[in-house]
Amino acid sequence: MIGIVAALANTAQERGNEMKLSTKLRIWLGAFIIIPMVLFMISVIALLTIRVSTMSTRYNATGTTYEAIFNPLDMMNRIVSSVYEKIDTLSESTPDTLTKSETLNEINELLSHRYAFLMVELDGKLIYTGEPGRENIFESLSKISYDGDTNVSLVIDDVTGKLLAERVGFVTDNGETGNAYIIMEISEYIPQIKKSLINIVIMLIIILIITSTLIIAWIYKDTVNPINKLQLATHNIMEGNLDFEMETKGSAEIAALCEDFDAMRAKLKENAERQLEDDKENRELISNISHDLKTPITTIKGYAEGLLDGVADTDEKREKYIKTIYNKACDMQQLVEELTFYSRLDNDRMPYNYVPVDIKEYFDEYADGLEDELDGDAIHLEYNNAFDYNTYIAIDTEKFKRVIENVVSNSRKYMQKDDNKIIGISIERGEAGGNAAEAAGNAGSVLIKIYDNGVGFADKDLSHVFDRLYRGDASRNTSMGGSGIGLSIVKKVVTEHGGKVSAGNRPEGGACITIELGIYNNASEVTKDE
C-alpha cells in the first residue's frame, strides 16, 4: 500500500504541469482517508488471523473463527470443547469413572493447559477439585437450579473475578446424581483480547503516522518546495541577482506561476541590461557632445579674444573673425537641436503627423532648394525622379525632411575631396510585395537613394552605421566628426514610417543610403490613423 502512495506521487510528478492543484488536493484527501483505512483493515485481518491460528494451535480449539477473539465465552468454550466432549461421553457410557480419582486427575491435567480446572460433586457433596483452595466456588454452583438440563454453561462470580463453568450431569450405576464442572478463568483469557486490541490501536497509529508522513512529504515536494524556490528567487531579485532560471515543476497553477515569474525575471534582466547599455551610451553621448562643443567654443573664444585684443586690426580681419564666430555658433546650435530632437524621438515623446504627399512634387521641391545650398560648397547635385504626379506616400513632412537632411549632411561632412564633389538623390520605384509595400496596401514601394562620391563606409562600419553614437573611422579622423546620432535618427524615423533603411557603398566609389517606403495610388487611400 505504501507502494501505491509512491506510485501516486510518481504519477503526479510525471504529469507535472498537467495536473491542477485542486485535483491534487482531492487526491491527497482521498489518499489520506482511503489508504489508512485499507492498510488498517489488512493489518487487522492479518493480526486476527495470526491470533486465531496461534490460539487454535496452542489450545487445540476446534472451529475457531475471528468472532471468537471478541467473544471470550465462545472462545473459551471452543478451547475446552474437546475435554468437554470427553466428559460428556464418559457421563453416558461409564458415569462411574467420573468418580474415580485417576480419571479425574487425567481430565484435570488436560484442562490445566487451557486456563481451566475440574470440579466434581456427587449427591450435593464436593468430591474432587482440580485446584485446591477454590472450594468456595462450589457454594455458588450448588445454589444454581438447572431445571432438568443435563449440560449447562454459566458465568459465576468469584473473589478472583469472573469464572465460566461448563456443567455435565451424570447418574452413577448406583443411582447417585452428580455434576462435573469445567471451571475456566476468564480473567486469564481477557488480557489476551486486550493485548490484541492494543496491538490493533498501535498498528492504526503507526499506519496513520506513515501515511501522513508520506502524504506530507509529497505535498511538501510538490507545493512547498516550489514556493520556497519562488521565495529564494524573490530574494535574489531584491539583491539584484537576475542570473538564474526558475524550474517549472509542480501543479499546473504553481508551474504557471513559476513560468510567469521566470518570464518577469528575464524581462527585468533584459531591461537592466538595456538600462546599462543606455547609461553607457548616454555617457558616451555626453562625452561626444562635450568634445564636439569644445572645438567650436574654443574657436569662438579665440576669435573673440582676437577681436578684444585688437588682433583683427583691419575691417577685413574683423569681418572674417565675426563670420567664423557666427558659423561656429550655428554649428553648436545645430548640434544642440539634433540632440534635442533625438532625445524626444528616443523617449517616444514626439507625435507623428502623417499626411499624403505627392512623391514627385515633394522631392522635386526639396531638390530645388538643396541644389542652391550645395552650390555654395561647390557640390554638384544629381537628381532623378522616376515618378509622375499623383503617386503618394504617407509621411510626417517635417520629420522626413530631417531624415533627408541628416543623410545629405553626412555625405557633405565626409566628402574629403576638393573638387568634383557629387551628392545624388534618386527616386525609384521598388518591387511590390515587400514589407513597406504591404504596410501601404501592396501598391508598391518607393526607393529613395541618397549617394555621394566620397570615401564611403569602411566594411567593418556597414553593420553599425545606424547604431546610436557609432562613429566610424572617417568621423574619428576628421575635425567635423559629429555626434554619432544623425543616422540613428534616420533609422528611428524611417522605422516609425513603416519603412526600411540600409547602407552600402557604390561600385564607382562613395556611400549610398537607401530608404524604402510604401506608396499609395492616390491621396484618398491615406487614412487618418497613418
Side-chain angles (χ1 to χ4, degrees):
M1 185 56 62
I2 295 176
I4 295 176
V5 177
L8 287 173
N10 291 334
T11 301
Q13 186 68 31
E14 290 173 1
R15 292 187 64 182
N17 299 351
E18 298 178 3
M19 189 176 296
K20 293 185 177 181
L21 182 59
S22 57
T23 304
K24 288 189 176 183
L25 287 175
R26 285 191 286 269
I27 292 177
W28 292 331
L29 179 60
F32 192 78
I33 295 175
I34 296 174
I35 293 176
M37 185 182 300
V38 174
L39 288 176
F40 178 69
M41 292 175 62
I42 293 174
S43 302
V44 168
I45 292 173
L47 178 63
L48 294 181
T49 301
I50 294 172
R51 178 66 65 184
V52 168
S53 176
T54 300
M55 295 182 71
S56 298
T57 303
R58 181 174 180 181
Y59 302 115
N60 194 27
T62 60
T64 306
T65 62
Y66 297 129
E67 182 183 358
I69 295 293
F70 304 100
N71 189 341
L73 298 181
D74 180 71
M75 185 63 193
M76 297 191 76
N77 283 331
R78 294 176 185 276
I79 290 175
V80 298
S81 61
S82 61
V83 181
Y84 181 88
E85 290 175 357
K86 181 176 182 178
I87 296 174
D88 188 54
T89 300
L90 291 175
S91 70
E92 294 179 356
S93 60
T94 55
D96 286 350
T97 58
L98 294 178
T99 62
K100 306 297 183 181
S101 59
E102 294 82 0
T103 302
L104 298 178
N105 285 334
E106 180 183 345
I107 294 173
N108 191 71
E109 179 67 21
L110 295 174
L111 292 174
S112 65
H113 300 294
R114 292 170 168 82
Y115 301 111
F117 62 92
L118 180 66
M119 295 186 77
V120 180
E121 62 95 7
L122 188 65
D123 282 342
K125 294 182 181 180
L126 183 65
I127 64 171
Y128 181 85
T129 178
E131 190 169 340
R134 305 294 296 276
E135 290 82 358
N136 60 308
I137 299 174
F138 179 70
E139 296 179 4
S140 299
L141 294 174
S142 61
K143 296 177 182 178
I144 299 174
S145 176
Y146 302 111
D147 298 329
D149 291 334
T150 303
N151 304 329
V152 178
S153 296
L154 48 95
V155 177
I156 58 177
D157 292 320
D158 184 59
V159 292
T160 59
K162 296 288 185 181
L163 299 174
L164 177 66
E166 292 282 342
R167 171 184 171 274
V168 179
F170 64 93
V171 179
T172 65
D173 294 339
N174 297 327
E176 297 175 306
T177 60
N179 293 298
Y181 298 97
I182 298 175
I183 310 298
M184 290 167 280
E185 301 280 358
I186 297 179
S187 59
E188 294 292 333
Y189 179 71
I190 294 298
Q192 302 278 340
I193 300 175
K194 289 182 178 179
K195 184 176 181 181
S196 297
L197 294 176
I198 291 173
N199 288 340
I200 290 174
V201 172
I202 292 174
M203 195 177 304
L204 176 61
I205 294 173
I206 292 174
I207 289 172
L208 288 175
I209 292 175
I210 293 176
T211 306
S212 300
T213 302
L214 290 175
I215 292 177
I216 290 173
W218 180 15
I219 294 173
Y220 189 91
K221 180 180 180 181
D222 195 70
T223 304
V224 179
N225 271 348
I227 292 176
N228 289 339
K229 290 179 180 179
L230 275 174
Q231 185 179 21
L232 178 61
T234 303
H235 290 162
N236 284 333
I237 290 177
M238 290 173 60
E239 294 172 0
N241 177 22
L242 300 173
D243 295 322
F244 64 91
E245 290 187 7
M246 281 292 300
E247 295 182 3
T248 56
K249 294 182 178 180
S251 59
E253 294 88 346
I254 294 178
L257 177 61
C258 291
E259 288 178 0
D260 291 343
F261 192 94
D262 193 61
M264 179 190 70
R265 175 203 61 81
K267 189 66 175 179
L268 288 174
K269 181 180 180 181
E270 179 183 345
N271 291 340
E273 291 174 347
R274 185 185 298 115
Q275 182 64 42
L276 290 175
E277 185 66 25
D278 289 344
D279 291 343
K280 178 182 177 181
E281 291 180 355
N282 288 337
R283 288 192 297 270
E284 186 176 349
L285 176 62
I286 293 173
S287 175
N288 291 346
I289 296 299
S290 298
H291 177 270
D292 292 339
L293 288 175
K294 183 177 180 180
T295 300
I297 289 175
T298 302
T299 302
I300 291 173
K301 183 179 178 181
Y303 278 90
E305 288 177 350
L307 289 173
L308 292 173
D309 294 341
V311 174
D313 52 3
T314 65
D315 292 339
E316 183 179 352
K317 281 188 177 182
R318 283 191 289 271
E319 182 179 357
K320 179 182 178 181
Y321 278 32
I322 293 173
K323 185 176 181 180
T324 300
I325 292 174
Y326 175 78
N327 289 336
K328 294 300 180 182
C330 289
D331 291 342
M332 292 174 60
Q333 181 182 10
Q334 182 181 0
L335 184 60
V336 171
E337 288 178 354
E338 188 175 68
L339 180 62
T340 302
F341 185 82
Y342 179 80
S343 177
R344 295 181 65 187
L345 281 179
D346 194 46
N347 294 319
D348 295 323
R349 291 184 298 180
M350 185 175 289
Y352 285 77
N353 181 28
Y354 297 101
V355 295
V357 172
D358 186 291
I359 296 176
K360 181 169 180 58
E361 180 180 347
Y362 180 80
F363 286 102
D364 284 356
E365 182 179 343
Y366 179 80
D368 288 341
L370 180 62
E371 186 174 15
D372 294 336
E373 182 181 338
L374 294 180
D375 283 344
D377 293 335
I379 299 176
H380 173 66
L381 175 65
E382 292 182 353
Y383 173 70
N384 176 59
N385 193 331
F387 286 86
D388 294 326
Y389 291 105
N390 298 322
T391 303
Y392 299 88
I393 54 175
I395 61 174
D396 182 314
T397 55
E398 292 299 322
K399 294 182 181 62
F400 200 80
K401 182 180 179 182
R402 175 66 68 95
V403 167
I404 302 174
E405 288 177 347
N406 283 7
V407 177
V408 172
S409 175
N410 191 74
S411 295
R412 294 172 67 179
K413 285 180 182 178
Y414 309 127
M415 189 69 69
Q416 294 187 2
K417 58 193 311 185
D418 296 330
D419 56 359
N420 193 29
K421 295 185 285 187
I422 297 174
I423 290 179
I425 298 178
S426 178
I427 313 300
E428 304 172 5
R429 186 178 293 274
E431 295 182 1
N435 292 336
E438 289 180 2
N442 273 323
S445 63
V446 57
L447 300 179
I448 305 161
K449 297 182 178 181
I450 304 175
Y451 58 90
D452 61 61
N453 63 344
V455 295
F457 299 109
D459 291 339
K460 66 182 184 66
D461 293 337
L462 281 175
S463 59
H464 302 286
V465 167
F466 300 103
D467 292 350
R468 185 172 72 168
L469 306 179
Y470 186 79
R471 300 169 118 183
D473 289 340
S475 65
R476 295 189 185 98
N477 296 331
T478 177
S479 60
M480 302 182 68
S483 62
I485 61 176
L487 293 183
S488 62
I489 290 176
V490 170
K491 183 176 181 179
K492 177 77 172 176
V493 173
V494 171
T495 301
E496 290 293 333
H497 279 72
K500 297 188 300 182
V501 61
S502 60
N505 289 316
R506 302 171 69 210
E508 57 268 45
C512 180
I513 301 292
T514 302
I515 300 170
E516 181 182 10
L517 295 176
I519 63 176
Y520 297 83
N521 291 325
N522 55 68
S524 63
E525 295 180 356
V526 182
T527 64
K528 294 182 179 180
D529 293 335
E530 292 178 313

